Structure formats: C-alpha cells, structure tokens
C-alpha cells in the first residue's frame, strides 16, 4: 500500500490538513476521510455529476480529482454552501419548483446551478439545459430543475 | 380569521417535505450511513457466463491481513434459494448461469483490502454451452439451464407455435407461462374485414437509479438482525429474509434510509442482501455492502425483453373484432418479477380498448442472460408498444383516422370488460380528445403523411398512444393493505406513522396533505415516520402505483378517527351536536358559521389534561371487496384504473436516422390531482424515462455479457434533449380514491415508445417494430424499406 501524503487546502472556507493515499479520489477523501457525505458517488467516472464540487470556484467531478491534487487549493462542497446567499436561493428554488424527487443527484445539481447563475445571470432555458448537461437525473425529467434554475437566473 | 387559512390543500403545489434536506446534502442515503465497527463487504462474481465450477481457492484471500471473513457456497450450507420461483441461491457452488453470478464474498477492514482479497480468490471453471437467445434455449436438445427444476407444464403448448413445434422443442427451459382466453378468436377473425399481424421485439434497459444498491447487516447482541435496506417492500422482505436465514421474522428489523431511486428495482430480494447477512454472521461484525456503478449495471435487474406476435382484426366500420397474442420472454438465468409481467400485459391486450375476442399465450424462457425484474410500467410499455402500433395499422387498413378508431373502441365509465375488469371511472375518451385538440393532432397527422414523399430529408411526425394501468392498488398478494398510526400532541402537532415507504415519489408529502386536509392543519404541523418495521404498521410495499390510493385511504381513515374524537369532546364542552363542528386553520370552528370556538392546540391540551383523551388513532385500509381474479385471470385486479393518452411529435433526419423528440402532449385520468407539483413531477419524469426507452437507452447484452455497463455508453436522456411537455389532467373523481385520486406513478412512461413508433411511421411511412429507435436502427430500417420498395418497383 502506498504511503499517505499530507496535504493542506481550504475546505468550505476553513483551513484543512489531512493525510491521504495518493491513489485516493477527492470524492473518497470527502466522504470517507472527512465524513462529508453530501457529495454523492453515482458512477465514479465523471459521467453523472452527483459528486460535483467547486475547485477554486469551478465545478468539477470529485470522483475524477485526486485528493492530493487538492493541495494548496480551495474546495467547496454542498455542506459549504449553508451560508452562501446564491446557493440558498438555488436550494430554495429547487424545493419550491419541485426539482427534487429521490434527491440523490440534487447536491450535484445545486453545485452546478449555483455556478451557472453566478456566471450567466439571465441565462435562458436552453443555456441552462446545456449548463446542466453533465448532471444526470432519473426521476424528474429535468424540466422542474430547469424551472428552478431559471427562476433564480432571471431574478433581478 | 384569514381566508387563506381555510383553503383546501387538495390540488395545490405543495413542495416535498424531504426536499430541503435533500437540496442541502443533509439526507443520508444508505451509502452515507456508517455503523460503528462495520466491515466492508464485496462480492466475487463469475467471469464466465455458463460454466461448472470445478474449484474455488480462497486460502490466499483468507490469509490477507484485514480480511475478517471469506465465504463461498461451501461455507453456507444452510443457504436457501431466493426469488419469485426460488431458483436463485445467493452463493453459486456448482454451476454459474450468468455473468452476474455470486461465487464468493469477503468482509474486510477497508474497501481496498476487500478488493485486494477478491483478486486473490482462484476459481476454476469448465465451460458449458451458452444459451443467450430464448429461441435457442427452446430448440430440441438445448442444454437445461436449471436441470434441478421440475419442468413447467404448459396448459396451451400452442403458445410456442409461432416459433416451434410444441411437440418437438426443449420445454425444460421454460420458467413460467400464462394463458388467457376470452370469447372465440376464430369467430372474431371470421367477422373481420381487415387483419394485421406483426412481430415486435423489445430490448433490454435497466433502472439506472442514481443511488447504487446497498445494504448494511448488523446483528444485535441478542441475535436479532438489524438491516439497513433500500427495499421498496420492507414487510414482505422481512419474511423473505427470515426464510433465507432460517430465523423468526420477528427477529428482523428493517430500517430504510432514504432511497436514491426505486422504479421497481427494489421489489425483489437479490443475492447481495443475504450475502451481506452471511458475512456479518461469520465476521461477527456489521457489514456494509455497496455496489459500484459497473456492478449496478451488471448485477441489477432489467426490464423484460420480449418478442411479441400480435394479430388483430377490425370491421370496416371501425369495430375491433379480435386480438391474438403470443409473447416470448427472455427470463434470464433466474426468475424475478420480470417473469410475471404477462399478468399486466394481458390487461392491455384484453381491455385497453373493447375487444370481444382475445387470446394470449406466453412463455418465459431461461437463458444465460441477465434476469429481468419489475420496472415502472411492469410489461405495459411492451404490450402498449404492440397494441398501439396495431391501432394505427388497423386504422390505415380500413381508411380510418387513428383518433377515430381509438374513440370508436375506447372504454367507457361503468364498463365491465370480458376479462372482468370493472371501470368505475374511465376518462379515456376525454384523454384522447384532449390530446388530439391540444396537439392539433389530426391536421398535423395529415400534413406529415402528405409530406412523406416530398423532397427534403427532415421529416416531421406525430403519433399517439393510450394506456390502461392499475390505479387503485393491485391485488397481486392475497391482500393489498396498509396501516396508519396517527398521534396528536398538545401543540396540535401530528405524527403520521405509515407503512408506506417514501422512495422519492413524494408519498410522505401527499399522505401528510390528506391528513392535514381532514384536520384543518397546515403542512408545517406534521411529521412522518415511515422507515422502520419495528415502528410502522404493516404494508405490502411500494409497487403498482398503489401508495397514494391505498396508504392515502389508510391515512384518511386515521385522521377521520381523530376528528371524531375531537368533535365528541367538543360536543360535551360546547353543548352542541358533534356534526356542528369543523376544523379549519388550526382552529375548532362552528361548521355553519365558521365562528371560532377554540384554538385546536389549546383544546387538545384540555383533552389530555381533563378528558384523559387517547389521541392515538390506528387504522388499516384494505382494498374494497370485488370479484377477485380467478385462475383464468378473470376478475378485478385493482379498485380503480388509470388512463392516459400521449401524442409525440418528432423530427426525423432520414440521412442519419436521428429522431428528435420535439413535444409530448399528454392527458392523464388521475382521478383527482392531490399535489399538482408532485404529480407534474411524476409525469414529466415518466415521460423522459419513456423517451429513453424509445430513443436512447440500450443495455447491450452479447454472449451473456453486458457491453456497456456505464453511463458513458448507456445513454440516459440529458437536460438539453427533453421535449416540450403539455400535460392535462382529467379529473374523474374516483369514488373509492382518497379525495377522488387514482395512482399515477407508472402511467406516464407507458405510452411513449408506442407513440414515437407511430410518429416515425407518420413521418416516413415506415413502421419499425423493434426498439430502440437509435439513429443506426432507424437508418437501417429506412434503408431496408427503401430497398424493398425498390424491389417491388423493379
């Protein structure tokens, strides 16, 4: 077994130091080493988006990111959005517009949607649909997810 | 008091109660649950599709540090077979019959150690002949896949006639058969002016729940078993686990963490579940076993692949005369619920439209393929695909419009079909006319047909299909019951303890709505407990679109009892008859004037302190008495039936075969809308799931191996591909339904593939009877039709 490596990074706004196996994904580190289970394992190959986190402000699939590559960077998970005003609006919209059913994909969608509305305020439904193309949902048929994001993107 | 407070909750857009936690990542699914001291379980599956196991060497795996248990069939001599036909031993010891087969399992300190241990297990195989086509498995002399099983006695060997001489084929591989007859098909055929016949081939798809399968087995110190399980049917599973493990069912407690998608996949017990229990028993530690996504694709059930031979007739005036059906189901290597889908398919064949004469014979055949389970729609997507394409074919044969033929044969409210299904409410005609009007069906249909031979490679098509499905529970077990416990505390806070499981469909929200409606309380005043067999009352599980109907009626029953108790106490206090009161906006009021008498919370406190009130209500709801289906499958299977029509508009590129779904216009007879937000979500999600079945999803099984076990190659519909959706609700107010509602969970996925098939025919004049309509398959079908037309011309 390879030796663990110590890394330091910013996690949800605070400094974090953790020893990780060089083969470990950021997803495994978050879920198993750090106990942050809001980020979900859906496929492990970057196809479903359930593990979307923000790395230096950009949405990435945590399953495709090595934990050691988080060293010196800034990572935000769904748990880190608790006091983020934009994310709060997105989450509220997901609830009110019925964008949540089984909910397993929802944290990943929220991460993606928060970035989308921050970067593309006023995005139309087509742009929103393309923006969430990398996230799979088996329950909702996506329409209510697009409704929810559009309501935030078009506000103000 | 304000008017808003007295408004009914029924029909409103009520957000799901569990949505805030889910949207903030707080919800803990089974993979998020960790039990102190737990080990990680992993399963070694067969690398051969059909083979005799010559030896299994686990010595090196057992010796690996961090490994606590390594098990094979030899270590679990008391294991018993599971599944619908009890033909599936959790550990396979002598023969593997499919690639998913479980040979050994390990429990280890970590995922890494467990994975390393699996690699150290050596298995020697001796290959057996491969049977991956049900037609091959029926050939005379074909190897028996389950030689230990008694052959199924065919009541109607003629069922095999479209494919084989019944006297000269291998019936030993038949896993199950169904036969149904009404009237006299020969007479129906003699009365027909037009007869059409086709073969339809339906492919493999799988559930793709976003949360992978998993279980945690934890023996308590008194020997009782605590299972954290994703099951949709906790009470039935408790009994089944007890049988497998040879222990008293009362010693098994099932806790269901929130489920990352069900769609029917969690209706059966699968080998990984008893295996986790065996590991926990052997290691004397809790064992958590979670699938990888690849494993989920390989070792989960599929939708049933089917060959359908359908022959139908019609008179010139548009009256249907007969329908004669045979279906051949690929059962896979073991028998799960997929084998019983003919039970649902026959309802569509016999009763979606009025057909005087109908026969249906079916066999499910063992192969070395993956095995099929239950999947939203339960055979009805397949049956509807065939029946609704034939409605268009028959209409064409007699020169009638597709809509007119459907309206001429649609069921009416009050009808009892020759199968004995009693349609107390039926909105099929309203569904048909609503969809036709809102989609502009007839004009578009004619324009597209006229455009078929015009130049241009982009063709438009519109097609429609209708469906009939159970909407008032399903009497597939001797009973279809659900229990409720309701407690009311001093603050007018209600706890609803229900047997009905929440699997993402929104049951806890709609059940809460029904209770709050009865008690005049806001949604904020209710908590639901629904996930622990030690607490919740008995229920037969989430299936057959039954929860709103059955559990809803049960919850209303308990709420009405609470109301009666409150009114009885109020009668004494206010010296008025019990009928004089009403509950509105958290208040006890006079029913006639609306005058506030007392705050309900205050009144409940006084009932507890001075009346010694027992504000715990229990109720059970069982399906209403009806003529239960007999051995000939005649009779009612549900207390109510759901209806729908959907029209699909497509754009088809004849140069690539690409079909783009532009718009779906749907009308659903749902009895009554309870939660508009929830029902829209069910229907939109079902439409897109049906879109995937029709256009993109294809679990490619070749030589018994799944070629695309991942989302990269198994193509789910993504957000930019969804169609425009126009959905109407037909409210027929079912007399037995809770507030008039009927079940809707499965309905929206059922019509889609059939409607798209009809749209392709409308766009191109070519009828394709095989799914899926991927560009390659559509292109090949169009090219073949062109070649055939060319031959005819020459």
């Amino acid at each position: 077994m390879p030796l663990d490596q110590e890394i330091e990074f910013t996690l949800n706004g605070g400094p974090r130091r953790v020893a990780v196996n060089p083969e470990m994904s950021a997803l495994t580190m978050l879920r198993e080493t750090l106990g942050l289970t809001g980020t979900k394992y859906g496929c492990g190959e970057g196809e479903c988006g359930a593990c979307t986190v923000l790395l230096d402000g950009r949405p990435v699939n945590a399953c495709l990111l090595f934990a050691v590559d988080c060293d010196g960077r800034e990572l935000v998970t769904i748990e880190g959005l608790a006091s983020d005003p934009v994310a709060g609006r997105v989450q509220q919209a997901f609830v009110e517009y019925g964008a949540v059913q089984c909910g397993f994909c929802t944290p990943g969608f929220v991460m993606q949607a928060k970035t989308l509305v921050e970067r593309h305020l006023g995005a139309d439904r087509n742009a929103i649909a393309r923006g969430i193309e990398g996230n799979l949902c088996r329950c909702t048929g996506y329409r209510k997810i697009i409704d929810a994001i559009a309501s935030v993107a078009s506000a103000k | 008091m304000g008017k808003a407070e007295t408004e009914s909750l029924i029909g409103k857009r009520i957000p799901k109660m569990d949505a805030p936690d889910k949207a903030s990542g707080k919800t803990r699914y089974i993979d998020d649950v960790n039990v102190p001291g737990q080990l990680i379980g992993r399963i070694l599956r067969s690398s051969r599709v059909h083979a005799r196991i010559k030896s299994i060497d686990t010595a090196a795996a057992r010796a690996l540090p961090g490994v606590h248990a390594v098990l094979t069939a030899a270590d679990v001599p008391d294991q018993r077979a599971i599944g619908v036909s009890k033909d599936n031993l959790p550990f396979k010891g002598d023969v593997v019959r499919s690639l998913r087969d479980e040979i050994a399992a390990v429990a280890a300190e970590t995922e890494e150690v467990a994975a390393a241990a699996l690699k150290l297990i050596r298995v020697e195989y001796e290959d057996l002949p491969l049977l991956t086509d049900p037609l091959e498995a029926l050939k005379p002399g074909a190897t028996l896949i389950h030689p230990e099983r008694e052959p199924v006695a065919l009541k109607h060997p003629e069922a095999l006639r479209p494919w084989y001489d019944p006297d000269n084929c291998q019936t030993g591989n038949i896993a199950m058969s169904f036969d149904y007859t009404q009237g006299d098909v020969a007479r129906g055929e003699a009365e027909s002016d037009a007869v059409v016949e086709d073969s339809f081939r339906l492919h493999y798809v799988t559930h793709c729940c976003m949360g992978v399968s998993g279980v945690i087995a934890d023996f308590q110190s008194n020997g009782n078993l605590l299972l954290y399980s994703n099951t949709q049917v906790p009470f039935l599973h408790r009994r089944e686990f007890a049988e497998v493990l040879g222990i008293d069912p009362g010693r098994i407690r099932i806790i269901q963490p929130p489920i990352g998608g069900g769609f029917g996949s969690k209706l059966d017990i699968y080998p990984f579940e008893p295996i986790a229990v065996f590991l926990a028993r052997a290691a004397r530690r809790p064992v958590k076993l979670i699938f990888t996504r690849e494993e989920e694709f390989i070792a989960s059930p599929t939708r049933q692949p089917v060959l359908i031979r359908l022959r139908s007739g019609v008179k010139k005036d548009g009256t249907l005369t007969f329908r004669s059906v045979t279906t051949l189901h690929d059962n896979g290597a073991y028998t799960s619920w997929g084998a019983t889908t003919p039970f649902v398919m026959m309802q569509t064949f016999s009763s979606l439209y009025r057909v005087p004469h109908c026969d249906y014979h079916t066999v499910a055949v063992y192969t070395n393929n993956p095995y099929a389970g239950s999947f939203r729609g339960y055979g009805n997507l397949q049956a509807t695909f065939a029946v609704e394409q034939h409605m268009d074919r028959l209409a064409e044969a007699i020169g009638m419009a597709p809509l007119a033929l459907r309206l001429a044969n649609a069921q009416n409210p009050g009808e009892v079909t020759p199968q004995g299904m009693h349609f107390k409410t039926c909105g099929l005609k309203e569904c048909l006319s609503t969809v036709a009007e809102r989609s502009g069906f007839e004009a578009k249909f004619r324009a597209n047909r006229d455009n078929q031979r015009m130049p241009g490679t982009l063709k438009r098509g519109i097609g429609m299909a209708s469906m009939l499905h159970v909407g008032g529970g399903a009497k597939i077990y001797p009973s279809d019951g659900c229990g409720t416990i309701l407690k009311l505390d001093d603050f007018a806070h209600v706890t609803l303890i229900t047997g009905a499981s929440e699997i993402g469909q929104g049951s806890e929200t709609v059940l809460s709505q029904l209770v709050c409606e009865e008690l005049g309380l806001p949604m904020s005043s209710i908590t639901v407990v629904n996930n622990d067999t030690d607490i919740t009352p008995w229920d037969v599980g989430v299936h057959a679109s039954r929860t709103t109907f059955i559990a809803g009626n049960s919850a209303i029953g308990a709420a009405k009892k609470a109301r009666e108790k409150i009114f009885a106490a109020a009668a004494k206090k206010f010296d008025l008859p019990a009928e004089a009161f009403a509950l509105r906006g958290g208040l006890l009021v006079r029913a006639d004037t609306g005058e506030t008498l007392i705050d309900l919370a205050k009144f409940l406190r006084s009932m507890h302190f001075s009346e010694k009130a027992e504000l715990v209500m229990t109720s059970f709801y069982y399906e209403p008495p009806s003529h239960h289906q007999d051995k000939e499958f005649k009779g009612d299977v549900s207390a109510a039936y759901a209806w729908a029509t959907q029209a699909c508009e497509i754009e088809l590129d004849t140069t690539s075969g690409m079909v783009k779904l532009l718009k779906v216009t749907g009308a659903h007879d749902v009895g009554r809308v309870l939660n508009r937000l929830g029902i829209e979500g069910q229907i939109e999600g079902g439409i897109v799931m049906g879109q995937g079945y029709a256009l993109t999803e294809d679990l490619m099984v070749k030589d018994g191996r799944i070629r695309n076990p991942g989302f990269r190659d198994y193509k789910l519909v993504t957000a930019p591909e969804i169609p425009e959706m126009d959905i109407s609700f037909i409210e027929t107010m079912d007399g037995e339904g809770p507030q008039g509602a009927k079940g809707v969970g499965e309905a929206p996925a059922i019509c889609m593939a059939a409607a798209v098939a009809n749209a392709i025919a409308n766009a191109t004049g070519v009828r394709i009877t095989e799914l899926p309509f991927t560009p390659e398959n559509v292109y090949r079908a169009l090219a073949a039709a062109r070649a055939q037309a060319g031959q005819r011309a020459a």
Side-chain angles (χ1 to χ4, degrees), chain B residues 613-692:
Chain B
E614 291 179 2
L615 288 172
V616 178
M617 279 59 60
T618 60
S619 69
F620 252 91
Y621 178 80
Y622 291 95
E623 73 287 354
S626 64
H627 176 54
H628 201 286
Q629 256 193 6
D630 58 21
K631 288 204 168 73
E632 262 78 55
F633 304 107
K634 302 273 173 71
D636 253 325
V637 290
S638 182
Y641 297 89
W643 303 87
T645 301
Q646 288 170 345
C648 289
E649 290 173 64
I650 60 156
E651 185 181 80
L652 190 153
D653 183 344
T654 56
T655 59
S656 66
M658 176 69 87
V659 176
K660 198 171 160 192
L661 182 62
L662 303 175
K663 184 173 178 186
V664 177
T665 308
H668 284 256
D669 169 8
V670 298
R672 186 180 185 189
V673 174
L674 297 179
N675 182 349
R676 193 164 294 272
L677 200 60
I679 202 166
E680 284 176 2
Q682 284 295 302
I683 290 178
E684 291 165 12
I687 284 174
V688 173
M689 189 174 268
Q691 176 186 5

Side-chain angles (χ1 to χ4, degrees), chain B residues 1 84 127 231 248 279 549 570 588 718:
Chain B
M1 60 196 245
V84 170
D127 282 327
T231 180
D248 173 1
L279 287 171
F549 194 96
L588 179 73
T718 59

Side-chain angles (χ1 to χ4, degrees), chain B residues 232-563:
Chain B
Q232 292 179 227
V233 288
F235 288 92
L236 300 180
H237 271 200
R238 192 157 70 149
R239 199 178 68 189
E240 187 141 5
F241 272 108
E243 273 171 27
V244 171
L245 303 169
I247 65 175
D248 173 1
R251 298 182 65 183
I252 298 175
R253 175 183 182 191
I254 294 180
I255 292 179
Q256 300 157 274
I259 293 174
F263 315 115
S265 63
K266 292 153 176 80
L267 214 59
D268 203 355
I269 185 170
Y270 302 110
F272 77 91
E273 295 166 303
I275 284 174
V277 178
F278 295 144
L279 287 171
R281 190 173 65 178
R284 297 178 175 278
R285 295 263 292 267
V287 169
K288 176 174 176 177
L289 196 157
I290 306 285
F291 278 11
T292 62
R293 175 57 64 184
E294 186 181 9
E295 201 171 15
E296 184 80 11
F297 270 101
I298 290 170
S300 299
T302 68
R303 192 182 286 289
Q304 184 101 34
V306 193
L307 282 174
I308 302 176
R309 284 284 282 260
L310 176 60
R311 196 170 158 78
S312 339
V314 68
K315 290 184 194 173
K316 267 187 220 145
D317 66 359
T319 311
L320 294 178
T321 47
F322 79 99
R323 201 172 270 142
S324 178
V325 198
T326 47
T327 62
L328 182 68
H329 301 243
D330 187 338
N331 196 56
Y334 304 99
T335 309
S336 181
W337 290 114
T340 69
T341 49
F343 174 75
V344 170
M345 296 171 78
M346 70 176 65
Q347 297 162 24
T348 292
F349 294 133
S350 78
S351 303
L352 170 56
Y353 296 101
R354 289 196 306 272
V355 190
H357 310 287
C358 176
D359 62 21
Y360 177 37
H361 302 295
T362 165
V363 288
V365 183
Y366 282 121
T367 65
N368 296 119
N369 286 328
Y371 64 86
S374 72
F375 192 168
R376 189 183 206 174
Y378 212 91
N380 209 350
L381 284 77
Q382 296 94 316
T384 301
F385 184 72
V387 165
E388 282 290 352
Q389 289 206 63
H390 260 204
M391 291 305 282
D392 270 26
R393 291 257 284 133
L394 291 168
E396 202 180 328
I398 57 167
M400 203 168 173
L403 174 67
L405 180 68
R406 287 177 172 84
L407 283 169
N409 293 282
Q411 301 285 1
N412 289 310
E415 235 160 314
V416 181
T417 77
Q419 200 187 341
M421 297 161 78
H422 187 181
F423 300 138
K424 291 168 195 150
T425 52
C426 170
L428 178 56
K429 283 185 175 164
E430 293 91 321
C431 289
L432 281 162
S433 48
T434 303
V435 163
E437 194 185 313
R438 292 188 67 91
S439 67
F441 186 88
E442 303 230 71
K444 283 179 183 166
F445 185 86
R446 284 192 299 268
N448 294 332
R449 196 175 49 193
D450 293 343
N451 190 45
Q452 283 172 9
R453 291 176 189 288
M454 305 296 267
T457 56
L458 279 185
K459 301 290 184 188
R460 287 280 177 116
I462 187 165
M464 65 160 58
S466 297
M467 74 98 222
L468 149 71
H469 205 72
V470 293
K475 290 179 273 186
I476 57 171
Y477 303 107
S479 149
D480 193 24
C482 175
T484 303
I485 302 168
L486 200 68
K487 78 179 181 81
L488 270 172
D489 68 21
D490 291 358
F491 332 104
H493 189 91
V494 184
T495 305
L496 166 66
I497 306 170
T498 172
S501 305
E502 166 76 43
I503 64 166
Q505 83 281 42
S507 69
E508 66 185 25
T509 306
V510 85
L511 297 179
S512 295
Q513 245 182 294
L514 292 169
V515 168
C516 289
E517 180 72 10
E518 293 297 329
L519 299 178
L521 290 170
M523 290 290 287
S524 56
S525 63
I526 190 163
T527 304
V528 182
V529 176
N530 56 1
N531 63 351
D532 185 339
T533 55
D534 269 8
I535 297 170
T536 56
W538 189 80
D539 175 67
V540 299
V542 181
H543 63 84
S545 310
R546 69 181 280 282
T547 298
T548 294
F549 194 96
I550 303 286
N553 273 325
S554 178
I556 288 175
K560 285 194 165 147
K561 282 187 182 174
R563 218 171 49 171

Side-chain angles (χ1 to χ4, degrees), chain B residues 66-85:
Chain B
V67 170
H68 288 253
V70 180
L71 297 179
T72 67
D75 302 300
V76 194
D78 60 336
Q79 67 165 341
R80 293 182 214 186
I82 59 170
V84 170
S85 297

Side-chain angles (χ1 to χ4, degrees), chain A residues 134-147:
Chain A
N135 293 67
L136 296 178
C137 170
R138 190 54 154 167
C139 297
T140 64
Y142 302 104
R143 182 157 94 165
K144 298 219 176 302
I145 296 176
I146 298 170
D147 289 346

Side-chain angles (χ1 to χ4, degrees), chain A residues 1-2 21 23-24 27-28 31-32 35-50 64 77-82 87 90-111 125-147, chain B residues 13 15-16 18-20 22-29 31-34 111-113 116 205-212 258-263 288 290-294 375-376 502-505 676-678 680-682 684-686 688-689 692 697 709-714 716-720 722-727:
Chain A
M1 292 283 157
N21 181 315
E23 290 177 355
M24 187 185 271
L27 175 63
T28 305
R31 290 182 54 81
E32 284 165 29
L36 294 175
T37 55
T39 308
K40 305 300 180 194
Y41 165 84
C43 71
E45 53 182 26
E47 290 291 329
C48 79
L64 295 184
T77 69
I78 187 81
E79 290 89 350
L81 298 185
V90 169
Q91 287 164 324
Q92 186 60 29
F94 268 61
V95 173
E96 280 171 13
Y97 284 80
V100 180
Q101 284 187 32
C102 92
F104 196 88
C105 68
T106 309
F109 269 100
V110 168
M111 300 303 287
R125 294 180 69 88
N126 286 334
I128 291 168
R130 283 201 307 278
I132 56 169
E133 192 173 8
N135 293 67
L136 296 178
C137 170
R138 190 54 154 167
C139 297
T140 64
Y142 302 104
R143 182 157 94 165
K144 298 219 176 302
I145 296 176
I146 298 170
D147 289 346
Chain B
R13 308 180 77 83
K16 284 189 83 220
D18 55 359
K22 286 175 169 175
S24 55
K26 288 200 172 93
T27 302
R28 291 164 75 83
Y29 300 85
D31 195 14
D32 307 329
V33 174
N34 292 299
E111 186 78 44
E112 292 72 27
V113 175
V205 293
T206 187
H207 304 73
C208 296
C209 302
M210 294 314 298
V212 289
I259 293 174
F263 315 115
K288 176 174 176 177
I290 306 285
F291 278 11
T292 62
R293 175 57 64 184
E294 186 181 9
F375 192 168
R376 189 183 206 174
E502 166 76 43
I503 64 166
Q505 83 281 42
R676 193 164 294 272
L677 200 60
E680 284 176 2
Q682 284 295 302
E684 291 165 12
V688 173
M689 189 174 268
E697 293 178 41
F711 289 133
R712 199 181 306 268
D713 301 311
Y714 183 96
L716 290 183
V717 172
T718 59
I722 65 166
E724 185 188 343
M725 293 181 246
D726 175 273
I727 300 160

